[in-house]
Amino acid sequence: AADLGTIVIKLKGEGLPAKDSVLLGGKSDPFFEVFKAHGQITDENFRMLAEAYTPPDETYMGNKEPKFLLAKSNIVKNCLDPEWFEVEIELGRLCDQGDKSKNILIDVWDYDTGMNNDFIGYVEISVQDLFSKCASKELIALKPPPKPHKQEAGSLRVVAITHYDPSTTEGKVRKALKQAFWKLDKNKNGTLDKAEVKKYMQLAASVCHAASAGAIEAEMASLDLDKDKVVRFEEFWAAAKLIRDTLLAKSGDDLEDLIGKIRDFKTFD
């Protein structure tokens, strides 16, 4: 299948219902999941999983088919207005032929340790409308589960949404840095720890010849934006300015040469 790039979505929940008892904090531990909501459903290799999408009806209590899942957010503990980390999805899997007017399904859940998660609500919406809602800052109302469940499901806000087109310089640069991130992530847990971030210094020095050792050291310290002692790709893309800006300033063969350096860089091999 053709590479249509990726869609990166950052969502915030607002006014979500409390699903936990007072003993557990009296709020919720929300997360969301994203599914394709039209046409055939395929896996990451575009093999068919279902011939046609089945839309929610009045009994809908969330999609419980893990094989249909395209993206899942982090869990925000004890919070009714969570701002989740961004999720990234291949446009070709999310929308047939990359058509952003097609619908997707977003389910919101309350995570319960050792028990079944509580369904909060859902929305079917096109990717195109997500872009519009982001621009207008308009809330998206969640549809609640059937009674007797709480009928006030809260809302979603699109904090940011971007299509990284692989034919553009920015799309090529993001793809290259995504590959670099996964190479640096030796234990493949989706984050970079201190030792893995140190390897980033070597990569930055290799790609950004003009950067001083002090500049690279300062950037390394700034990568962990939320100070949780690990670096997610969202932080890496935002803060790895030395490499990102160096690449974005290039074009043609110069850009391809630097991307080749990233591809060939030896990390923990």
Side-chain angles (χ1 to χ4, degrees):
D3 184 1
L4 301 175
T6 58
I7 295 289
V8 178
I9 308 169
K10 187 175 181 66
L11 296 178
K12 183 179 188 302
E14 297 195 10
L16 301 183
K19 293 284 188 175
D20 293 339
S21 68
V22 175
L23 292 175
L24 294 174
K27 294 185 179 179
S28 290
D29 304 320
F31 67 95
F32 70 86
E33 296 180 330
V34 181
F35 303 87
K36 183 183 174 188
H38 63 276
Q40 293 182 345
I41 309 300
T42 60
D43 65 11
E44 64 273 12
N45 296 312
F46 294 92
R47 292 180 296 230
M48 190 171 65
L49 297 174
E51 288 191 14
Y53 168 71
T54 303
D57 60 18
E58 65 277 3
T59 66
Y60 186 69
M61 285 293 292
N63 193 320
K64 299 179 178 68
E65 284 281 3
K67 65 183 180 181
F68 294 163
L69 182 65
L70 292 183
K72 181 177 181 177
S73 78
N74 60 305
I75 298 163
V76 179
K77 290 285 191 179
N78 201 34
C79 184
L80 301 180
D81 301 290
E83 183 166 326
W84 294 286
F85 300 153
E86 65 184 27
V87 296
E88 184 167 355
I89 313 164
E90 292 177 52
L91 178 58
R93 291 194 67 203
L94 193 62
C95 300
D96 287 345
Q97 291 82 49
D99 182 354
K100 298 189 188 77
S101 69
K102 300 291 188 181
N103 274 0
I104 66 171
L105 171 69
I106 303 172
D107 284 347
V108 181
W109 296 85
D110 165 48
Y111 177 76
D112 284 330
T113 306
M115 297 182 289
N116 291 330
N117 298 324
D118 292 323
F119 187 50
I120 289 176
Y122 73 97
V123 63
E124 286 183 293
I125 188 170
S126 71
V127 173
Q128 188 172 282
D129 282 345
L130 288 176
F131 275 92
S132 297
K133 298 294 186 185
C134 183
S136 68
K137 298 181 169 53
E138 186 180 347
L139 288 172
I140 303 166
L142 289 169
K143 294 181 180 178
K147 293 179 180 179
H149 298 275
K150 290 183 179 179
Q151 295 301 291
E152 295 297 325
S155 303
L156 296 178
R157 185 182 298 280
V158 185
V159 177
I161 181 169
T162 307
H163 175 208
Y164 289 98
D165 184 334
S167 67
T168 65
T169 296
E170 187 177 36
K172 290 177 181 178
V173 169
R174 185 174 175 97
K175 185 174 182 178
L177 287 188
K178 189 83 172 181
Q179 291 170 340
F181 183 88
W182 288 114
K183 287 185 75 173
L184 292 164
D185 181 17
K186 183 183 179 183
N187 58 9
K188 305 305 175 193
N189 67 349
T191 63
L192 304 184
D193 60 23
K194 189 174 181 179
E196 291 163 342
V197 168
K198 281 186 177 179
K199 278 288 180 178
Y200 166 72
M201 286 181 65
Q202 298 175 20
L203 177 60
S206 171
V207 173
C208 311
H209 298 297
S212 67
I216 294 171
E217 189 83 43
E219 182 168 289
M220 188 180 80
S222 73
L223 288 176
D224 183 13
L225 297 176
D226 60 7
K227 306 305 177 189
D228 64 354
K229 299 184 180 178
V230 292
V231 176
R232 295 170 286 103
F233 182 71
E234 181 178 350
E235 296 172 304
F236 187 74
W237 173 251
K241 294 179 181 178
L242 287 173
I243 288 184
R244 194 185 72 224
D245 292 351
T246 297
L247 291 172
L248 288 173
K250 303 294 182 181
S251 60
D253 290 343
D254 291 339
L255 175 60
E256 295 303 325
D257 286 346
L258 287 182
I259 288 175
K261 273 193 171 185
I262 292 174
R263 188 169 51 244
D264 298 337
F265 180 72
K266 300 298 181 185
T267 52
F268 295 91
D269 301 335

